[in-house]
Amino acid sequence: MTDAAISPGAPAARPASSARDALLKKRHRSEKLFRAQGIAAIVIAMIFLVVLVGRIVVQGYSTFETHTLTVPVYLNPERIDTSALEGVNYDYIVAEAMMKKLGVQDDDLGTVSSKVQDLVSRDFGNQLLQMVKKDHSLIGKTVDVTGSVKADADLYYKGEIKRSTAEGDRKLDNQQLDWLDRLRKDGTVKAGFNTKFFTNSDSTEPEQAGVWGAVIGSAMMLVITALIAIPVGVMAAVYLEEFAPKNRWTDVIEVNINNLAAVPSIVYGLLGLALFINWLHVPRGSPLVGGLVLALMALPTVIIATRSALKAVPPSIREAALGVGASKAQTVFHHVLPLAMPGVMTGAILSLAHALGETAPLLMIGMVAFVPGAPESFTSSATVLPVQVFIWENASERAFHERTAAAIIVLLVFMIVMNAAAVILRRRFERRW
Amino acid sequence: MLTWLSLLFLALFSGAAFMAGRSRALKSSGGSTAKLHSLPNYYGLYAALWAGAPAALLLLLGAAFGGRVEDAMLQAQRPAVVQALTPDRQDVFFSDVSAVAVGQAPSEVAYEGPLKAAFDAKVVEAKRIDGIVSYSVLGLAGLLALAGFLLATPRINTEFRARNRVEGWIAGVLVACSVAAVLTTLGIVMSLIYESWRFFESVSPLSFLFGTEWAPQIAMRADQVASSGAFGAVPLFAGTFLVMMIAMLVAAPIGLYSAIYLSEYAGRGLRSTIKPLLEILAGVPTVVYGFFAALTVGPLFRAFFNGIGEQMAGGPLDGIAQYLMQVQNQMALVAGVVMGIMLIPFVSSLSDDIINSVPQSLRDGSYAMGATKSETVKKVVLPAALPGIMAAMLLAVSRAVGETMIVTMAAGLQAKLTANPLDTVTTVTVQIVTLLTGDQEFDSPKTLSAFGLGLTLFVVTLCLNIIALRIVQKYREQYD
């Protein structure tokens, strides 16, 4: 380049000072605008976060409170056939006790008793059955039974069902609301912490439904996922990072793993359906098949995280080990891998947390079934927390909506615990070389 | 149960082999480790691996494939009564046989007369075959363990290079693990192609890819109207595209602007609080976003549009007003916006990395010329980071295309060819879920079409990912 090219004959005319000030002002204005746009973007994102979490907490926290009532039930020997205890209509016996308490009489059509039955959970009947089964001598006596009120009554106590709504538009009529008010006033109904939500499994009745079965199902599934994805992923990463020659074949594996990490989760569901269920006949909807599918899904993430942890270990460590006569395998397994372990564990926990929240592939492999209990083995039918959320969200009864939000809170707590564990692990063992 | 017990037993046996190998090595060197080629534990490991690994592999293979072998053996001979049944019924027959043989309840089909006799005979046969297969696997595993032990231990002496042999085993296991990733891809591709092949045997690929009507409902009887179903996937692609566009319109500007602000303007404190908060948004399970979309955003948008419709009703735009008043909870806009929220942290963290990797010298040069910060960002940093940002956006698009739960819960099920964001639409992923969550018969095009959709989805997202990776690779080393 010659001098002539960069020095034009005369300098460009400078703009007059007023025009320059205007230009500068404009430039500063656009600077401010740009900054404001950035702040606005962050504020919007934060608003989304607050609204999302806030809405769910607002919708869900009421589930943790519940209303129970205690009623003395007279176990009428005329109604209870000792030879067929299962066949007795305990719900009606409970309804009788309730009517006695409320001081109302049943009519011929049984409308009053069915209205009363709409207020108390079917759990009362079950409790009576268990009591009588255990001890026949109770028949003819009066026993105190405590149980939940029905979900609609619970919603009324919580103010979700309002008296101001037109009578036809709500589940409970005025008479039922009057009864509920009376029960609350005389202290029969008590508010308390909803332990049942944590100890019960799914149920068709919202007041009886809980997350225990789903929590156990999730845990069992994560055990399978962890047992497969972590060892296989770590070893694959060790091979690729430490042992593999750099050739076409390892390039293929590498590109492949990056692509696998971005395959939509639902495709893994299709794989699980075709491979594990149709071909290998693994039982549908079991923690085993769910864990296998999620393990395949988590595998690429574990590999990628482990590789970056291994990369962070400086070569001097390897050279020192090799220098004192360790073999390649000894170098890796005695020195490099232990040093990379915090990073490996962080990646593994994060990928497990991700697997915990996954829903779509599990729908494919039959985990949408109604499962009223905790799974007994890895091959029995199970449900997991996110799927439970999905099932409840589809339920028509309104009380299930608050339970859905509560189940989400439980799920989020698990995720936060796992993420926090990963962060703590990273902080605690972080090492700068 | 039997498998677990035998695996436990095998573990004990190989533990014993470990002790035997170790002590044999020590004995051969007269108790001094210095004379041995390898450390004593390596001799033990060598013996334990030969005693345990092949047999364990056989047991696991037996657990995975034993059932299939048994089925094949059982179905090799079909009595005439069974052959007279339709293929479907034959399958039911055999699955009932297997169920009864392991003590489970059969399906509700009743078997009578000669069929009942054949059924009972087959149940006995199934039990016999089950016994033969599982005990022969056990016996073979036992033999393998013993043979491995007997082969390995005599070779142990002071000269034996046990460490190298054990490391050979380790290398083998490592290679096998890294092949697992390739096998997963192969499994995905094979299963998708195999099932899609069966689908395309009954529906032509052209009418699948270019057909504009999607109605996979199959009639119960052949003579019913519309017995064939329609498998034109264009409305699904259109719906997917629409939702994806809306999501990107939300996620791209918000994500990009927040990334720019965080990396260029924000101080350390702000950055270290905002980033983890954004990561929370990224860690929330998609089913939670779906719930949020269905129960909060959907009703909110509906109320909003219905309200606008009521304001406008009777005015010059009465037609639109009437339409707005009928907008429902489920619409493409709800799913798109919520999916956009989900993608914000994805876009922002990827863009943040890329913007951070633009060398400081470029910025300094720009400042030295008198440029303001925003001018530097717009004219220098963003153009330099553009390929990376493009790649990030493509990855976000691929996420949006493959996202399932939000659209399942918020976009509706009607397959409509529409560009109206207030309409209900359906997407590829929603259809896969709905097609496969009911009863599954793997002979009907209805079920198999899900695999056709899955294959399309896989191919599309794969292309997007490859393009994104290529862009990153091509421009990555520009400043190094």
Side-chain angles (χ1 to χ4, degrees):
Chain A
M1 217 183 264
T2 61
D3 281 357
I6 41 170
S7 61
R14 297 185 58 150
S17 90
S18 66
R20 212 164 59 218
D21 285 351
L23 189 66
L24 197 62
K25 237 181 206 160
K26 203 177 136 207
R27 285 176 64 200
H28 283 168
R29 220 177 19 246
S30 86
E31 170 74 29
K32 265 189 198 135
L33 187 71
F34 191 71
R35 224 186 150 103
Q37 282 168 332
I39 293 176
I42 288 179
V43 169
I44 292 173
M46 288 303 118
I47 288 176
F48 280 147
L49 178 66
V50 170
V51 171
L52 174 73
V53 176
R55 261 312 276 186
I56 283 162
V57 171
V58 166
Q59 270 177 319
Y61 86 97
S62 62
T63 307
F64 300 122
E65 190 198 22
T66 188
H67 292 84
T68 52
L69 106 185
T70 308
V71 58
V73 179
Y74 171 58
L75 290 168
N76 191 343
E78 288 163 26
R79 290 207 184 273
I80 300 176
D81 177 4
T82 41
S83 60
L85 285 174
E86 305 270 352
V88 178
N89 188 352
Y90 296 98
D91 293 335
Y92 191 77
I93 297 177
V94 175
E96 271 183 338
M98 287 295 294
M99 282 189 289
K100 198 170 150 208
K101 189 162 188 69
L102 292 163
V104 287
Q105 286 289 323
D106 203 358
D107 55 11
D108 292 340
L109 294 171
T111 42
V112 177
S113 65
S114 67
K115 268 188 187 179
V116 169
Q117 277 183 32
D118 281 347
L119 300 181
V120 294
S121 168
R122 298 198 143 229
D123 178 43
F124 282 93
N126 287 334
Q127 283 190 35
L128 282 183
L129 172 65
Q130 299 310 328
M131 280 181 185
V132 174
K133 258 189 180 171
K134 217 189 278 170
D135 186 3
H136 286 297
S137 66
L138 285 176
I139 297 168
K141 290 180 188 156
T142 302
V143 288
D144 274 351
V145 187
T146 308
S148 322
V149 297
K150 258 239 186 307
D152 291 322
D154 195 43
L155 286 179
Y156 171 67
Y157 285 136
K158 288 170 183 166
E160 299 277 328
I161 293 179
K162 293 186 183 70
R163 217 176 244 278
S164 52
T165 320
E167 198 173 357
D169 291 345
R170 51 177 141 86
K171 282 269 188 70
L172 304 169
D173 63 17
N174 284 338
Q175 195 183 12
Q176 286 171 315
L177 296 189
D178 290 339
W179 288 339
L180 287 175
D181 285 342
R182 255 176 59 199
L183 287 173
R184 181 154 57 176
K185 218 170 265 168
D186 65 18
T188 316
V189 168
K190 286 195 184 72
F193 184 70
N194 192 355
T195 47
K196 270 190 183 156
F197 182 71
F198 297 98
T199 55
N200 280 12
S201 297
D202 198 7
S203 162
T204 47
E205 286 163 75
E207 72 274 5
Q208 293 296 324
V211 290
W212 178 246
V215 168
I216 293 298
S218 277
M220 288 171 90
M221 209 175 63
L222 279 188
V223 165
I224 300 267
T225 307
L227 283 180
I228 296 171
I230 295 178
V232 175
V234 169
M235 287 199 273
V238 165
Y239 176 72
L240 292 175
E241 198 57 41
E242 303 287 335
F243 290 94
K246 290 277 164 266
N247 59 22
R248 178 160 280 216
W249 172 238
T250 45
D251 276 353
V252 167
I253 298 183
E254 193 162 345
V255 170
N256 198 342
I257 288 167
N258 283 330
N259 276 326
L260 272 182
V263 167
S265 60
I266 194 167
V267 172
Y268 283 96
L270 290 173
L271 168 73
L273 181 61
L275 181 67
F276 296 130
I277 293 184
N278 280 352
W279 204 59
L280 290 179
H281 296 288
V282 183
R284 279 192 73 186
S286 58
L288 179 62
V289 69
L292 285 170
V293 168
L294 292 186
L296 291 186
M297 238 187 76
L299 193 59
T301 340
V302 175
I303 295 179
I304 291 170
T306 307
R307 289 192 70 174
S308 60
L310 288 172
K311 254 187 207 135
V313 177
S316 56
I317 301 281
R318 297 181 184 83
E319 282 152 17
L322 291 172
V324 295
S327 71
K328 184 83 196 169
Q330 285 169 329
T331 307
V332 172
F333 286 100
H334 296 175
H335 301 278
V336 180
L337 196 55
L339 286 173
M341 222 46 202
V344 173
M345 288 325 290
T346 315
I349 293 174
L350 288 180
S351 68
L352 283 185
H354 191 81
L356 172 68
E358 200 54 69
T359 321
L362 303 181
L363 301 183
M364 316 268 84
I365 51 172
M367 286 200 139
V368 269
F370 171 73
V371 184
E376 281 148 11
S377 75
F378 285 103
T379 49
S380 58
S381 215
T383 187
V384 294
L385 267 174
V387 176
Q388 188 75 78
V389 168
F390 178 68
I391 296 173
W392 281 352
E393 195 272 333
N394 277 328
S396 54
E397 280 194 66
R398 197 167 150 199
F400 271 119
H401 289 171
E402 60 164 11
R403 275 176 170 67
T404 315
I408 288 176
I409 296 175
V410 174
L411 179 62
L412 288 181
V413 166
F414 273 103
M415 314 268 319
I416 289 170
V417 167
M418 287 176 92
N419 281 303
V423 169
I424 289 169
L425 212 60
R426 190 159 45 191
R427 290 263 164 84
R428 178 118 169 58
F429 295 101
E430 194 174 48
R431 188 194 284 251
R432 298 237 169 224
W433 301 98
Chain B
M1 202 57 224
L2 203 58
T3 314
W4 290 115
L5 262 179
S6 44
L7 277 175
L8 185 73
F9 193 72
L10 193 64
L12 288 176
F13 180 69
S14 68
F18 177 86
M19 299 311 286
R22 199 188 130 94
S23 66
R24 188 184 158 93
L26 283 174
K27 212 197 269 167
S28 70
S29 73
S32 102
T33 50
K35 280 189 199 149
L36 287 171
H37 169 269
S38 317
L39 291 170
N41 281 352
Y42 278 106
Y43 293 93
L45 266 177
Y46 178 74
L49 280 170
W50 270 109
L57 192 67
L58 183 76
L59 283 174
L60 288 176
L61 284 178
F65 296 99
R68 286 187 66 76
V69 174
E70 284 170 25
D71 286 352
M73 284 168 74
L74 188 65
Q75 291 174 22
Q77 272 198 327
R78 300 185 179 208
V81 241
V82 179
Q83 275 177 13
L85 298 169
T86 60
D88 282 2
R89 290 291 311 276
Q90 290 190 20
D91 289 347
V92 172
F93 178 84
F94 281 110
S95 74
D96 277 356
V97 168
S98 326
V100 170
V102 294
Q104 288 170 345
S107 70
E108 280 154 17
V109 183
Y111 298 98
E112 281 160 0
L115 207 54
K116 174 78 181 155
F119 187 81
D120 290 340
K122 275 289 176 191
V123 168
V124 174
E125 197 188 332
K127 280 183 183 156
R128 195 167 51 88
I129 290 176
D130 179 53
I132 292 173
V133 170
S134 45
Y135 284 108
S136 60
V137 166
L138 273 187
L140 217 60
L143 277 180
L144 264 181
L146 211 61
F149 178 71
L150 291 179
L151 270 175
T153 33
R155 297 165 80 175
I156 292 175
N157 56 47
T158 45
E159 296 302 308
F160 185 65
R161 296 153 72 89
R163 196 201 56 192
N164 306 40
R165 296 304 182 96
V166 171
E167 282 174 4
W169 274 91
I170 293 176
V173 172
L174 292 181
V175 172
C177 285
S178 67
V179 167
V182 180
L183 286 183
T184 309
T185 316
L186 223 76
I188 290 176
V189 173
M190 296 287 277
S191 60
L192 287 180
I193 288 183
Y194 175 70
E195 306 282 353
S196 310
W197 188 264
R198 288 170 60 193
F199 169 63
F200 288 130
E201 274 175 354
S202 50
V203 177
S204 99
L206 285 180
S207 73
F208 173 72
L209 283 178
F210 301 108
T212 54
E213 200 196 338
W214 179 261
Q217 294 79 13
I218 299 292
M220 302 304 283
R221 296 189 314 274
D223 57 316
Q224 269 178 315
V225 199
S227 60
S228 59
F231 294 96
V234 169
L236 308 187
F237 299 145
T240 310
F241 185 74
L242 180 63
V243 174
M244 181 273 284
M245 282 307 289
I246 299 169
M248 289 311 289
L249 283 178
V250 173
I254 297 182
L256 190 55
Y257 269 117
S258 36
I260 291 172
Y261 190 84
L262 284 181
S263 57
E264 299 289 319
Y265 288 93
R268 271 189 90 89
L270 186 66
R271 192 179 151 85
S272 61
T273 33
I274 297 291
K275 270 205 108 167
L277 282 176
L278 277 177
E279 274 167 18
I280 293 181
L281 219 44
V284 172
T286 53
V287 69
V288 177
Y289 282 107
F291 175 75
F292 180 63
L295 272 107
T296 304
V297 183
L300 199 74
F301 278 23
R302 178 191 176 171
F304 176 72
F305 286 113
N306 290 0
I308 289 185
E310 270 163 37
Q311 293 291 316
M312 279 165 49
L317 296 172
D318 196 48
I320 299 176
Q322 292 301 328
Y323 174 77
L324 285 179
M325 279 159 70
Q326 282 166 13
V327 166
Q328 292 300 308
N329 280 350
Q330 296 196 317
M331 54 175 130
L333 190 63
V334 173
V337 166
V338 174
M339 197 191 284
I341 299 176
M342 185 194 84
L343 290 176
I344 289 172
F346 189 71
V347 172
S348 79
S349 72
L350 282 176
S351 314
D352 192 39
D353 290 346
I354 293 151
I355 291 171
N356 275 332
S357 70
V358 173
Q360 185 61 31
S361 58
L362 289 187
R363 292 187 190 88
D364 292 342
S366 170
Y367 295 146
M369 303 289 287
T372 63
K373 219 163 188 178
S374 66
E375 283 163 351
T376 308
V377 170
K378 282 188 245 177
K379 302 260 166 65
V380 177
V381 177
L382 282 186
L386 197 63
I389 290 174
M390 283 284 293
M393 295 299 170
L394 282 183
L395 287 178
V397 166
S398 127
R399 273 272 175 110
V401 168
E403 170 47 42
T404 312
M405 294 321 292
I406 297 175
V407 274
T408 305
M409 292 159 95
L413 286 174
Q414 274 179 314
K416 266 193 249 175
L417 198 53
T418 175
N420 179 359
L422 304 184
D423 225 337
T424 68
V425 292
T426 191
T427 67
V428 174
T429 50
V430 172
Q431 285 305 313
I432 295 176
V433 168
T434 41
L435 288 169
L436 289 180
T437 40
D439 285 329
Q440 293 170 1
E441 288 169 40
F442 274 81
D443 301 317
S444 77
K446 181 187 168 194
T447 315
L448 292 174
S449 67
F451 286 88
L453 291 174
L455 185 64
T456 327
L457 183 67
F458 180 73
V459 170
V460 168
T461 49
L462 192 68
C463 289
L464 286 170
N465 297 333
I466 289 176
I467 295 171
L469 282 177
R470 272 287 141 85
I471 293 177
V472 170
Q473 265 172 6
K474 193 160 177 207
Y475 296 95
R476 187 197 282 158
E477 287 174 293
Q478 216 171 3
Y479 304 106
D480 282 349

